[in-house]
Amino acid sequence: MTLIARPKQRGCIFCQLPRAPRARENLVLATDRDTVVMLNRFPYNSGHVMVAPRRHVADLGRLRRAEHAALAETLRRAVDIVGREFHPQGINIGMNLGAAAGAGIADHLHWHVVPRWNGDTNFMPAIGSVKVIPEHLLATYDRLRPRFTASLQAVRSRKRR
């Protein structure tokens, strides 16, 4: 409740939060020249991360080839990290393009990576309109941040060779 009760952010979270000085508070797990990885402040499940381009773009077709390649690699690494850390039985990867498709932030495209377990949907969201997340977002951040940091360092060292 501490995180979701804060005043709603104005502007684009994918543009503003990676530039802000408080990565943990802003749930920014990793950034590089072309991509950003953040925890979803309103997660479907623990470990729900979002992967977005650094450039403010809403149309998938407007991504430059290098951006698309970087995003594909970051998405691959995010799936791997979430899988190794949370041991889900499956992972949903999805993108909602446009408000009519359900995009909460329609003007900046992003992928959702959502770990899934058998039985993770129960009566709480169906009957009570409540989603139960068993781990605080900052605890999830603290679990994932070192893995994303190590992954970025490995990518940077391969590029230098």
Side-chain angles (χ1 to χ4, degrees):
M1 288 305 301
T2 302
L3 292 170
I4 63 174
R6 293 188 333 183
K8 190 126 174 116
Q9 172 96 20
R10 290 190 181 270
C12 178
I13 66 166
F14 298 110
C15 292
Q16 293 175 351
L17 296 182
R19 290 190 294 235
R22 298 172 311 275
R24 185 174 186 264
E25 181 181 319
N26 292 325
L27 305 176
V28 176
L29 291 165
T31 61
D32 62 22
R33 189 185 62 160
D34 294 311
T35 66
V36 59
V37 181
M38 299 171 60
L39 280 175
N40 190 319
R41 191 168 299 282
F42 306 100
Y44 186 80
N45 277 335
S46 292
H48 179 170
V49 302
M50 299 177 296
V51 176
R54 290 296 296 264
R55 186 167 63 95
H56 189 79
V57 59
D59 182 355
L60 192 58
R62 291 193 55 227
L63 287 174
R64 299 176 188 118
R65 285 182 188 212
E67 287 173 317
H68 189 270
L71 282 161
E73 176 58 19
T74 300
L75 183 61
R76 185 194 67 75
R77 286 186 290 118
V79 169
D80 180 61
I81 290 167
V82 167
R84 283 187 289 123
E85 186 61 32
F86 287 92
H87 309 287
Q89 294 164 320
I91 294 179
N92 288 124
I93 300 171
M95 178 187 295
N96 303 321
L97 293 174
I105 301 170
D107 58 343
H108 197 132
L109 66 84
H110 54 284
W111 284 264
H112 292 266
V113 176
V114 183
R116 300 300 306 269
W117 295 267
N118 291 328
D120 67 7
T121 300
N122 58 37
F123 75 95
M124 292 295 284
I127 304 297
S129 298
V130 174
K131 182 69 181 168
V132 177
I133 303 297
E135 182 174 72
H136 192 279
L137 280 173
L138 292 177
T140 301
Y141 180 91
D142 292 340
R143 284 176 70 179
L144 291 175
R145 174 68 182 211
R147 291 195 182 266
F148 277 97
T149 300
S151 179
L152 275 177
Q153 289 170 346
V155 168
R156 287 179 185 138
S157 74
R158 280 194 301 268
K159 285 182 179 179
R160 279 187 236 129
R161 289 185 214 162

